[in-house]
Every structure is written in C-alpha cells, then in structure tokens.
C-alpha cells in the first residue's frame, strides 16, 4: 500500500515538473516561457500522464468498502 502511494505521488510530481521543463520547438529553439511550456505539455502528454497518475486501485478499493459497509446497515 505504501509503495503504491509513493508511485502515485511520484506520477503527480512528474506532472508538475513537466509544466516547468523546457522543450525544443520545430525551429530547434529552446522554449523557456512558462505559458508556452504549459500549453505544449497540455497539447501533448498531459492527458496520458493524468490517466496514468489516477490511483484506480485506491478508487476501486474505496468504493468496495463503501458498498460492503452499506450492506451491514
């Protein structure tokens, strides 16, 4: 459980870092403007990274606990 949480936190930190990491544009220029970096990341890998960072195991585990606790009430 601790390892899973650590991996989830690392994915979130990776997303935050990607919003600040420079990139090379089509003209071979290094882009360091924060707004352009964020827009480039949002248009690229952001959706894939967010889906990878969602802790599905915690969401499913939490919903199973809620369902089982409703049975006993």
């Amino acid at each position: 459980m601790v390892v899973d949480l650590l991996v989830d936190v690392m994915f979130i930190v990776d997303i935050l870092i990607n919003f600040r990491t420079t990139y090379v544009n089509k003209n071979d220029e290094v882009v360091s403007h924060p707004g352009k970096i964020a827009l480039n990341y949002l248009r690229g890998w952001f959706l894939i990274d967010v889906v990878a960072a969602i802790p599905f195991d915690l969401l499913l585990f939490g919903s199973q606990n809620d369902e089982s606790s409703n049975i006993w009430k």
Side-chain angles (χ1 to χ4, degrees), residues 1 10 25 32 34-35 42 45-46 51 59 63 66 72-73:
M1 181 86 172
M10 290 179 72
N25 65 11
S32 60
L42 288 170
W45 288 91
F46 177 72
V51 171
L59 295 175
S63 66
D66 292 342
W72 299 107
K73 289 184 177 182

Side-chain angles (χ1 to χ4, degrees), residues 8-25 31-54:
D8 292 335
V9 169
M10 290 179 72
F11 270 115
I12 293 169
V13 169
D14 177 57
I15 290 172
L16 297 174
I17 290 171
N18 279 316
F19 273 110
R20 302 295 297 172
T21 303
T22 61
Y23 69 96
V24 178
N25 65 11
V31 178
S32 60
H33 185 271
K36 290 181 181 180
I37 293 171
L39 191 59
N40 181 63
Y41 181 52
L42 288 170
R43 289 180 179 167
W45 288 91
F46 177 72
L47 183 61
I48 295 167
D49 287 347
V50 167
V51 171
I54 296 173

